[in-house]
Amino acid sequence: MATEKGDLNEAEKSRGHVDGTDVIHDEALISEAKAATDAEQKLTLLQALKLYPKAIFWSMLLSSTLIMEGYDLALLGSLYASTEFNKKFGTFNPANGKWAVSAAWQSGLSNGARAGEIFGLILAGWVSDRYGYKRTTIVFLIMMILFVFILFFAPNVQVLVVGEILCGIPWGAFQSVTPAYASEVAPTVLRPYLTTFINMCWVIGQFFAAAVNKGSVGRTDEWAYKIPFGVQWVWPVPILVGLLFAPESPWWHVRHGNREAAKASLLRLTSRNDPNFNADETIAMIEHTNELEKRMKEGLTYRDCFKGVDLRRTEIVVGIWLVQTLGGQNLMGYFAYFLTQAGMDPSNSFSLSMGQYALGMVGTAGSWFLMSRVGRRTIHFGGLCCQLCILIIVGSLAFPGTNGSIWAIGAMLIVFTFVYDFTVGPVTYSLISELSSTRLKAKTIVLARAAYNASNIFVNVMTNYQLSSTAWNWGAKTAYFWAGTCLLSSIWVFFRLPEPKGRTYAELDMLFERGVPARDFAKTEIDPFSHGLGHGVKRASTEGKLEKELE
C-alpha cells in the first residue's frame, strides 16, 4: 500500500498538480471549475439524459455484473427447497423423512461466498486504483467464467463450498467497482439513478434465480440443480465483450495526473456538439475537487480511510452497509426456503418468489421518482421504520400456524421486498457513492462492503439456524429477532446519516471538513471555490437564516 501511495503521488507531483497547475490558487482554472459546477447544478434530468447517454449505457453495462451475484445468492436460498439438490448435497433426516442440507453446510455455502467476496473486495480496491475500473472488471469477469465450472461439476458439498468461495472473489470485485464507476461517469443529477440501478441488477438476478428454479424444481434428475448453476455462464461473456470498448473514468485519469486522457474519456461519455457543454471546464472541476481533497489529506491507502475527516466518512459508509444486513433483509433471500419450512408447496414458494422480486424491480424503478423529490436520508430512515413494522407483523403471524397465516407471511414478505427495494436498498448505493471522498472512494467502498460481507457471515449463520428444521426451527418468529436489530439501525441512521442530495463532491468535502452535523447538511450553504478550506461554509438555522460563518 505504501508503494501504491507513492506511485500515485509521484504521478501527480511529476505533472505539478495536473499539468503544472496549482489548482487551488489558479484563478483561471477556478473560474472554469466554478462555471462547470454551476452548469452541472442547473442541469435538468432531461438535459442530462441527452448529454450523457453514453455514460448511462457504460455504467449500466458495468453494473450488470452484479446480476450474477444477486442470482447466485438468491439461488442458494431457493435450492435448499429443491428435493434433488438436497438428495445430492444433503443428508436424510429420519425424524421427518426428508433430505436436507444441514444448517452447518448451509452456513458453509453462504459464508464461503462471503469470505471470497471479502478477499475480492480488498484485491479490487488496490487493483482498480492502480489499473482502472475497466481493466479490473475485465480480469474478474474472466475469473468468473472459469470458477462457474467448479459449481457446475461439483461432486459433493465440500467441492461446492470451494466453488462458492472462488466465485465470491469476482463478485466482491464487482461490488467495489460498480458504484465507484457509476458515480464518477455521471453528473450530480444522474448519480442517484445510475448508482441505484445497481440495486435493480441485484433484483433482476434474484428474479431470474426464482424463475430458473421454478422451471427446474419439477425435474427428478441432476439437472434440477445443474441448470441453475449453468445459467451463470449467460452473463459474463456479453458483458466482457462490451467492456472491451468502454471508456475509463475521467476521475481516475485525473488522479493519475493525465489530463488529456481524462478529457478523451469525458468526450467518449458525452454527446458530441452540445453547445452548452464545455469539456475543459468539467475537467477543471474534477481537478479542483481532486486537489481540494489532496489538501485535506495526502494519503491514498486503506489506513488513510481512518484518519481525520475520512474517519467519519468511513464510519458512515460502513454503517450504511451494515444496516443492509441488520434490517431483516436476509429473510428475502430465504423466501422460498422459509415458506417451504412453514409448510408451503415448493412450486408455490417459487411462484411467490418470482412475484416478490418482480415487485422489487417495480420498487427500485419507483425509487428513482422518489429520490428526485425526497432526500436520501429521509427515504432511508422512513424505509427502515416501515421494515420494522412489517417484521413485527411477520413474527406475530407465526402463532396461528394455519394455511392462511402461512400465505399471509408470504404476502408480508413480498410487501417487505417492495418497501426495501423502494427505499433502503437502492438509496444505499447512492449514499455510499456520494458520502465517500473521490480519492478514497474505491477503498472506502471496499472497507464498507467487506464489513457488510463479514456481518453477513454472522447473519447467515443465525438465519440458517433460526430457520433450519434440524436446528432451532424458529419459523416466522425469526422476524422478531431482526426487528430488534432493525430498531437499532434506525436509531443510528437518525443521528449519523447526513443528506447529500444535490451536492457536488467539492461541497460534500467541505461539509465534512468543517464538521457540520449530519442533521444540518441539507440546510448549510457552502462555497467550495473560496481560496482557503476554512472559508466559505455557512450554516443555516431552522428558520432558513444564516446563523454564522464557520471559521
Side-chain angles (χ1 to χ4, degrees), residues 117-346:
E117 287 174 5
I118 293 173
F119 180 75
L121 278 161
I122 295 171
L123 184 61
W126 177 81
V127 174
S128 61
D129 266 352
R130 191 175 182 86
Y131 300 106
Y133 303 124
K134 172 183 172 178
R135 281 180 283 186
T136 299
T137 306
I138 288 173
V139 169
F140 282 102
L141 278 170
I142 294 171
M143 292 172 61
M144 183 78 245
I145 294 171
L146 297 176
F147 292 153
V148 170
F149 280 95
I150 300 175
L151 298 180
F152 188 81
F153 292 105
N156 51 52
V157 71
Q158 291 88 347
V159 175
L160 195 62
V161 169
V162 172
E164 288 291 332
I165 293 172
L166 293 176
C167 285
I169 295 174
W171 290 334
F174 302 148
Q175 293 168 9
S176 167
V177 171
T178 50
Y181 185 84
S183 65
E184 290 186 3
V185 299
T188 303
V189 69
L190 286 180
R191 274 198 326 239
Y193 301 99
L194 293 184
T195 52
T196 55
F197 177 74
I198 297 171
N199 188 76
M200 176 74 83
C201 291
W202 267 67
V203 180
I204 291 171
Q206 292 169 333
F207 177 83
F208 277 121
V212 171
N213 265 305
K214 179 170 175 58
S216 60
V217 70
R219 298 187 66 97
T220 57
D221 55 16
E222 63 181 6
W223 293 103
Y225 55 87
K226 280 200 170 186
I227 289 175
F229 283 138
V231 167
Q232 292 180 92
W233 278 311
V234 171
W235 322 115
V237 177
I239 297 173
L240 178 61
V241 173
L243 282 181
L244 293 174
F245 304 96
E248 186 52 78
S249 162
W251 288 82
W252 183 83
H253 285 303
V254 167
R255 288 194 291 271
H256 284 257
N258 193 338
R259 192 181 203 276
E260 292 306 314
K263 183 178 178 180
S265 287
L266 182 62
L267 291 174
R268 289 192 61 198
L269 292 166
T270 53
S271 299
R272 301 277 180 170
N273 304 319
D274 189 308
N276 299 316
F277 177 71
N278 188 315
D280 289 315
E281 290 179 349
T282 302
I283 294 299
M285 179 184 67
I286 297 173
E287 290 172 349
H288 180 270
T289 303
N290 184 61
E291 187 66 22
L292 190 68
E293 292 188 3
K294 283 173 63 183
R295 294 298 176 95
M296 295 178 184
K297 59 203 172 286
E298 282 296 324
L300 287 168
T301 67
Y302 283 108
R303 184 181 300 174
D304 293 299
C305 294
F306 300 97
K307 293 180 179 179
V309 176
D310 284 300
L311 175 61
R312 180 187 176 193
R313 300 179 84 153
T314 301
E315 177 243 320
I316 291 170
V317 176
V318 170
I320 293 168
W321 270 124
L322 290 180
V323 168
Q324 286 271 39
T325 66
L326 300 175
Q329 294 88 328
N330 51 301
L331 293 181
M332 296 188 305
Y334 288 83
F335 185 82
Y337 176 76
F338 183 82
L339 292 181
T340 301
Q341 291 297 313
M344 186 175 290
D345 179 80

Side-chain angles (χ1 to χ4, degrees), residues 98-126:
K98 294 181 179 179
W99 290 86
V101 177
S102 69
W105 278 114
Q106 286 185 29
S107 297
L109 287 167
S110 301
N111 294 334
R114 297 299 184 188
E117 287 174 5
I118 293 173
F119 180 75
L121 278 161
I122 295 171
L123 184 61
W126 177 81

Side-chain angles (χ1 to χ4, degrees), residues 341-513:
Q341 291 297 313
M344 186 175 290
D345 179 80
S347 181
N348 287 334
S349 69
F350 287 132
S351 297
L352 267 181
S353 291
M354 292 176 64
Q356 175 197 27
Y357 296 129
L359 197 58
M361 284 188 273
V362 173
T364 302
S367 72
W368 296 337
F369 296 98
L370 187 64
M371 281 190 291
S372 65
R373 294 167 174 80
V374 184
R376 324 270 200 264
R377 169 188 163 91
T378 303
I379 295 171
H380 197 279
F381 180 71
L384 276 178
C385 292
C386 291
Q387 288 179 197
L388 173 62
C389 295
I390 294 171
L391 287 169
I392 293 173
I393 294 172
V394 169
S396 302
L397 286 170
F399 293 100
T402 63
N403 264 349
S405 66
I406 291 173
W407 280 97
I409 290 169
M412 292 309 301
L413 287 178
I414 289 177
V415 174
F416 184 98
T417 300
F418 175 79
V419 170
Y420 169 77
D421 287 313
F422 187 53
T423 57
V424 176
V427 80
T428 292
Y429 289 96
S430 180
L431 287 168
I432 62 153
S433 302
E434 294 175 310
L435 295 176
S436 51
S437 70
T438 60
R439 287 171 62 79
L440 290 172
K441 186 185 298 291
K443 289 183 170 61
T444 306
I445 292 174
V446 164
L447 290 171
R449 190 70 191 193
Y452 166 86
N453 288 338
S455 67
N456 245 326
I457 294 175
F458 162 77
V459 169
N460 285 332
V461 170
M462 289 295 295
T463 307
N464 286 331
Y465 277 89
Q466 288 166 344
L467 297 181
S468 176
S469 58
T470 62
W472 302 342
N473 199 25
W474 287 4
K477 297 184 186 72
T478 300
Y480 280 142
F481 178 89
W482 300 111
T485 58
C486 185
L487 175 61
L488 295 176
S489 300
S490 303
I491 295 171
W492 178 86
V493 166
F494 180 78
F495 288 104
R496 297 298 294 165
L497 182 62
E499 177 54 70
K501 184 176 186 290
R503 300 289 193 183
T504 64
Y505 287 123
E507 290 173 334
L508 290 169
D509 288 339
M510 294 195 72
L511 286 168
F512 278 109
E513 173 68 17

